[in-house]
Amino acid sequence: MSLRPSSRVQKLQESQHVRAMDSPNHRFYALYEQVSQRDVLETAWHQSRTNGGGPGVDGQTFADIEKSGVDNWLAELEEELAALHYQAAAVRRVDTPRPGGKMRRMHLPTIRDRVVQMAVLLIIEPIFEADLPTEKYAYETEKGSLAAIRHVQRLVKTGRTEMDEMELSQYFDSIPHDALMELLARRINDRHLLQLIKMWLIAPIEHTDARGRVARSTRNRDQGRGCPLGAPISPLLVNLHVRRTRK
């Protein structure tokens, strides 16, 4: 289960969601300043800790951070962000088996990057949720496959029995950065926050093969496309792009 944000963060989220709902063309500014606030980072840490997951390319685990002191770790991160010194690390590629013999390729940011991404998500998700269609269930807050099935059941009972089926193959790898950044800029008037997101999109991908050899790819930066599957910010970005392509 996910932890609820602090009362101030929750009020901020509610306020921004209402503003986004009331003003579809409004662009939000000073969002980076909100991301770097200590209570936002603390909420992002707790959410990331609850989500769990393995280490990134630096090998640092949640247990390592807790052993050395979460407060000091967050204070250093807050200082980096406030001074505009934060830089994203490469993401670690992890291939996990799927049913049928296929492999699922995940890209794990470092815990430090995950916490900052979660902080950004806390601030901007309420804004963009106002723009997403209500019938959309993929990667939505408090929505999932069970809720989608119940929705379909209600539609069937009303006589709506036709359905379109499609599969988005390797969709995360195909998302063009320029188009995605344009979508974000329609609501975000804050270059520092947009730079953060672009930084995560073009981060190098590191992979260790079976013989222990480490290689890095700059494919996303070189091709100007791709969104790392496994990063906290990615589901929202994918939802935004899916909405654009279905218009």
Side-chain angles (χ1 to χ4, degrees):
M1 62 179 292
S2 62
L3 297 179
R4 295 180 67 82
S6 72
S7 57
R8 191 195 75 86
V9 175
Q10 189 171 2
K11 288 179 181 178
L12 175 62
Q13 291 177 313
E14 292 171 353
S15 172
Q16 298 199 143
H17 182 72
V18 170
R19 181 65 184 273
M21 290 289 290
D22 292 343
S23 305
N25 296 319
H26 179 72
R27 298 178 71 212
F28 292 77
Y29 60 93
L31 298 179
Y32 184 94
E33 182 180 344
Q34 296 173 11
V35 167
S36 59
Q37 294 295 311
R38 182 58 177 267
D39 59 345
V40 174
L41 292 174
E42 288 176 351
T43 302
W45 159 264
H46 287 299
Q47 182 67 70
S48 301
R49 184 69 178 93
T50 301
N51 292 343
V57 295
D58 61 357
Q60 188 176 52
T61 65
F62 287 104
D64 293 334
I65 297 170
E66 290 169 338
K67 185 176 180 180
S68 61
V70 175
D71 286 343
N72 288 337
W73 187 85
L74 285 172
E76 292 176 2
L77 185 55
E78 179 185 5
E79 185 177 339
E80 278 187 42
L81 288 166
L84 301 177
H85 291 163
Y86 167 85
Q87 292 292 319
V91 296
R92 182 169 69 92
R93 196 186 95 189
V94 180
D95 296 329
T96 57
R98 299 181 62 184
K102 294 183 178 180
M103 301 295 290
R104 186 184 192 193
R105 182 158 293 176
M106 303 287 290
H107 300 97
L108 298 183
T110 63
I111 293 175
R112 172 175 165 273
D113 290 339
R114 264 179 267 175
V115 169
V116 181
Q117 288 192 31
M118 185 61 70
V120 170
L121 194 61
L122 288 169
I123 297 303
I124 71 171
E125 188 172 42
I127 296 170
F128 288 105
E129 279 186 341
D131 299 333
L132 295 175
T134 57
E135 68 272 14
K136 195 169 185 305
Y137 287 87
Y139 304 118
E140 290 275 1
T141 302
E142 299 181 359
K143 286 186 178 181
S145 57
L146 183 58
I149 291 171
R150 288 172 177 166
H151 188 174
V152 171
Q153 289 174 335
R154 289 193 296 269
L155 293 175
V156 170
K157 289 179 180 178
T158 63
R160 300 174 66 178
T161 57
E162 295 184 4
M163 179 179 68
D164 293 327
E165 182 179 359
M166 68 177 181
E167 180 179 355
L168 299 177
S169 177
Q170 297 181 329
Y171 189 71
F172 278 77
D173 291 336
S174 67
I175 296 176
H177 295 166
D178 288 346
L180 182 57
M181 296 308 296
E182 287 180 8
L183 290 172
L184 290 164
R186 290 179 184 177
R187 280 295 204 175
I188 299 174
N189 184 20
D190 187 324
R191 65 184 181 90
H192 294 307
L193 191 131
L194 291 173
Q195 285 171 354
L196 272 184
I197 296 174
K198 184 63 178 290
M199 195 185 300
W200 296 323
L201 291 174
I202 65 174
I205 299 170
E206 185 174 293
H207 173 62
T208 303
D209 65 19
R211 300 176 62 180
R213 295 175 298 189
V214 177
R216 281 196 175 188
S217 167
T218 57
R219 177 259 183 201
N220 285 10
R221 184 191 67 190
D222 297 341
Q223 297 185 9
R225 65 181 59 247
C227 189
L229 175 61
I233 196 73
S234 296
L236 174 64
L237 301 182
V238 168
N239 273 342
L240 290 177
H241 193 261
V242 167
R243 178 177 183 269
R244 172 184 182 270
T245 57
R246 286 184 65 99
K247 279 189 172 182

